[in-house]
Amino acid sequence: MRWVRPLSIVGILLGTLFFAFSLTPSLLPRPFAVQGVISGLSVTAGYALGAIAQWLWYYLELPAPRVRVARIMWIISAVVCALVVVFFMWRASEWQGSIRALMGMEESVAVQPLGVAVVAFLVFVLLLTLARLFRGTFRFLSEKLQVVVPRRISNVFGVLAALGLFWAVIDGVIFTLALRAADSSYQQIDALIEDDHERPTDPEKAGSPQSLVDWQDLGRQGRSFISSGPTAAQISAFHGSEKPEPIRVYIGLNAAETPEQRARLALEELKRVNAFERSILLLVTPTGTGWVDPAAADPVEYLHRGDIATVTAQYSYLPSPLSLWVEEDYGVETARALFEEIYGYWTELDADSRPDLFLHGLSLGALNSDRSFDFYDIIHDPFQGALWSGPPFRSETWQRITERRTPDSPAWLPVFRDGHVVRFMNQEQGFDKPDEPWGPFRIGYLQYASDPVTFFEPESFYREPAWMSGPRGPDVAPVLRWYPIVTMLQLAADMAAGSAPIGYGHNYAAEHYIDAWLKLTEPQDWSEEEIDRLKDKFRSQQGKD
């Protein structure tokens, strides 16, 4: 009771309501540990708001209710909050189950109220301790300054000094050490050579003895990319006639010192393997770790019967969320250097015989691919188009197009002007627009309404996101509701720790890529039966995975 007594009553009541709101569903199902962290952060946010409001009330010397009236009000409020928490706890399992059912997932154990409460309490205590440590530091510094300056001035400088001190510790010590440890760990993982990834002997393969890129310098993701994918024999067996081997070129982060050097190395490797003699050239920007999604890369090689070359370059060891915050400019620099090198050489080739050039990126790769070129630099000789899947919410092009969509289209599947240049698709609706032809330069967005990487909004802190109003996406729970602050925390947790089956969330399915590549690149002579057979092939592979 001595520990509880100094707490703000208003803060406790508001924090309790925020705890209840945090149990409501968001975009993805959550395990109890993640739910506990979200609830703890929500309790803390609610408590902070209530404590500030109570302090401001007394600071302004506004009339306070009499002790007896105030006690009755607190008791009634506490009972109401308790009933709300019990009700929300009771419904939490049902809400989480509805999301899992919507995504075709197996039923999981019910939300564990005790586990959620314990984790939330620990998070709240930790953050409250840090807040009180900050207050103690501020008061200590303020009292020292009062010796030489007036009290109000000392309070201002005390707050600024405490903020500077805490930020220096968090950013300069904790964050830096954690980032260095993460970078070192991922760099060591990247250097591993898996036993099932042997160095290729085919001289046309990147990393082979004849290649300009050493096998070791490809990195873990590069070796996986070169070793995987459909072979000429597999594509030939599917089509019933002899087809060429798809070309894949990957430049690892250790292959050269600078992005410009790696881009030139990529171009020389493409020339070495005669990639510019293929009908399609695909320039892929990978995710933060250098990963290229096989669900995107493999189907397009089948669709173009092996007559395709793909090139990409690594720019980071870190996963996309970390790379997005700490190496964003470096990712853009690498993507831009690779595009300028490849595009510059491509424009020098005969327009009638050169390959069609397309761009692709998933997640952070979509963001950096979008930033790799300027429309004013390509308007005189544009490439054919781009497919960007799961574009992050920070993508400025995606934001502008979504904001300027036609009024009758939802934010999760916008219609932009007449669809002559930009089109969107999801699980249920493709790029087809029977009434409007797609122009020679095409930008396609593949996105799921349940993808938190795309539909997270910092503004959901204080306003309802546009994709929540009106009809919901086919993979978004109808019971999802917006709550100030809490919804932003839920979406952030979905983005950082959420998981979903293939075809939902940020996990894009090969069958949807097939529909996207078909419309975007228009490979010739594909019947509906062959398309269905290709989709079935990748569905069966997905089941084995």
Side-chain angles (χ1 to χ4, degrees):
M1 290 302 298
R2 290 181 178 178
W3 188 84
V4 173
R5 192 177 301 149
L7 295 179
S8 165
I9 300 298
V10 179
I12 292 176
L13 295 176
L14 193 56
T16 303
L17 285 178
F18 274 38
F19 172 82
F21 296 155
S22 71
L23 300 173
T24 59
S26 54
L27 291 178
L28 302 178
R30 302 186 290 264
F32 88 92
V34 175
Q35 178 61 65
V37 173
I38 297 174
S39 297
L41 294 173
S42 300
V43 170
T44 306
Y47 177 82
L49 286 177
I52 292 173
Q54 184 174 339
W55 171 84
L56 184 62
W57 184 276
Y58 289 122
Y59 179 80
L60 296 176
E61 298 181 352
L62 297 173
R66 296 181 180 179
V67 176
R68 180 179 176 83
V69 175
R71 186 175 301 169
I72 295 175
M73 291 173 59
W74 299 141
I75 292 175
I76 294 174
S77 299
V79 171
V80 172
C81 287
L83 292 175
V84 169
V85 168
V86 171
F87 173 77
F88 277 64
M89 275 286 196
W90 172 59
R91 292 293 305 276
S93 295
E94 179 184 344
W95 287 328
Q96 294 299 312
S98 67
I99 303 178
R100 300 181 69 88
L102 186 65
M103 297 182 176
M105 302 173 67
E106 295 180 359
E107 291 187 9
S108 181
V109 295
V111 174
Q112 304 174 25
L114 181 59
V116 171
V118 170
V119 175
F121 176 76
L122 293 176
V123 171
F124 172 70
V125 170
L126 174 62
L127 295 177
L128 182 63
T129 301
L130 291 176
R132 292 193 168 183
L133 180 61
F134 175 83
R135 184 178 64 179
T137 302
F138 147 67
R139 287 181 174 177
F140 173 79
L141 296 175
S142 178
E143 291 174 358
K144 294 297 182 181
L145 290 172
Q146 285 181 21
V147 178
V148 293
V149 296
R151 180 177 62 85
R152 295 186 183 276
I153 297 178
S154 68
N155 287 339
V156 173
F157 280 100
V159 170
L160 295 177
L163 286 173
L165 178 62
F166 270 67
W167 179 252
V169 172
I170 294 173
D171 181 60
V173 179
I174 299 176
F175 183 76
T176 300
L177 292 177
L179 184 60
R180 287 178 180 175
D183 185 67
S184 176
S185 299
Y186 284 109
Q187 186 173 7
Q188 293 176 12
I189 293 174
D190 187 79
L192 294 175
I193 299 180
E194 292 81 355
D195 294 336
D196 58 341
H197 289 164
E198 297 180 357
R199 186 179 188 182
T201 57
D202 183 354
E204 298 298 311
K205 292 275 191 178
S208 66
Q210 294 80 12
S211 174
L212 302 177
V213 187
D214 188 82
W215 180 243
Q216 177 70 23
D217 292 338
L218 289 177
R220 175 173 173 265
Q221 297 292 356
R223 292 188 291 270
S224 176
F225 179 69
I226 296 300
S227 301
S228 62
T231 63
Q234 291 171 330
I235 296 177
S236 299
F238 180 86
H239 289 283
S241 60
E242 186 175 355
K243 303 300 179 184
E245 180 97 5
I247 294 174
R248 291 188 172 189
V249 171
Y250 191 103
I251 307 300
L253 196 55
N254 292 324
E257 290 292 330
T258 66
E260 291 75 19
Q261 291 174 345
R262 290 192 288 275
R264 286 192 291 271
L265 183 60
L267 177 60
E268 294 304 317
E269 183 72 359
L270 287 173
K271 292 179 182 178
R272 186 187 72 83
V273 298
N274 299 317
F276 291 95
E277 296 180 6
R278 299 298 175 96
S279 63
I280 297 291
L281 178 59
L282 183 60
L283 199 166
V284 177
T285 303
T287 62
T289 60
W291 179 67
V292 177
D293 188 1
D298 295 356
V300 71
E301 292 176 336
Y302 273 96
L303 289 172
H304 289 277
R305 299 174 173 84
D307 189 19
I308 181 174
T310 303
V311 59
T312 186
Q314 184 182 20
Y315 54 86
S316 173
Y317 300 115
L318 299 175
S320 290
L322 285 176
S323 185
L324 179 63
W325 293 108
V326 303
E327 293 183 337
E328 178 184 358
D329 293 338
Y330 195 60
V332 174
E333 184 181 0
T334 299
R336 186 170 296 149
L338 183 63
F339 173 82
E340 290 177 352
E341 197 73 30
I342 303 301
Y343 174 77
Y345 180 80
W346 178 80
T347 56
E348 297 174 358
L349 301 176
D350 180 30
D352 295 328
S353 60
R354 68 190 181 188
D356 289 341
L357 177 59
F358 291 91
L359 273 58
H360 170 64
L362 164 67
S363 189
L364 182 59
L367 174 63
N368 288 330
S369 178
D370 179 16
R371 295 177 173 179
S372 66
F373 67 95
D374 192 309
F375 282 106
Y376 295 106
D377 295 332
I378 68 165
I379 196 169
H380 68 287
D381 192 4
F383 56 92
Q384 276 61 48
L387 174 60
W388 293 321
S389 49
F393 66 96
R394 294 180 63 179
S395 173
E396 295 179 1
T397 302
W398 176 86
Q399 287 179 353
R400 287 196 301 269
I401 293 173
T402 302
E403 290 172 357
R404 299 174 185 176
R405 67 188 184 278
T406 58
D408 59 340
S409 64
W412 46 269
L413 194 63
V415 174
F416 182 69
R417 297 181 179 175
D418 59 359
H420 188 72
V421 176
V422 181
R423 295 185 181 182
F424 291 79
M425 68 168 285
N426 63 0
Q427 307 99 316
E428 298 186 353
Q429 180 175 318
F431 288 138
D432 294 302
K433 288 181 68 67
D435 299 332
E436 297 291 343
W438 207 349
F441 180 75
R442 305 171 176 181
I443 294 179
Y445 285 100
L446 170 59
Q447 60 188 40
Y448 299 152
S450 57
D451 188 347
V453 174
T454 299
F455 292 105
F456 172 80
E457 288 188 22
E459 293 80 8
S460 61
F461 182 90
Y462 59 88
R463 74 180 184 194
E464 182 182 32
W467 54 267
M468 273 189 174
S469 60
R472 298 288 173 85
D475 46 341
V476 175
V479 294
L480 192 154
R481 295 292 180 268
W482 173 76
Y483 300 97
I485 302 176
V486 175
T487 296
M488 187 200 70
L489 296 175
Q490 290 176 323
L491 296 177
D494 287 343
M495 181 172 56
S499 62
I502 294 176
Y504 300 92
H506 201 55
N507 202 356
Y508 288 84
E511 60 182 296
H512 302 142
Y513 273 117
I514 290 173
D515 291 331
W517 288 124
L518 274 169
K519 191 63 179 179
L520 186 76
T521 64
E522 294 185 332
Q524 299 298 312
D525 302 324
W526 275 87
S527 65
E528 291 294 333
E529 292 76 14
E530 288 177 315
I531 294 171
D532 291 338
R533 189 160 59 93
L534 184 62
K535 289 183 178 180
D536 289 338
K537 175 182 176 60
F538 280 96
R539 287 193 195 102
S540 63
Q541 291 180 358
Q542 172 185 319
K544 293 177 182 179
D545 296 340

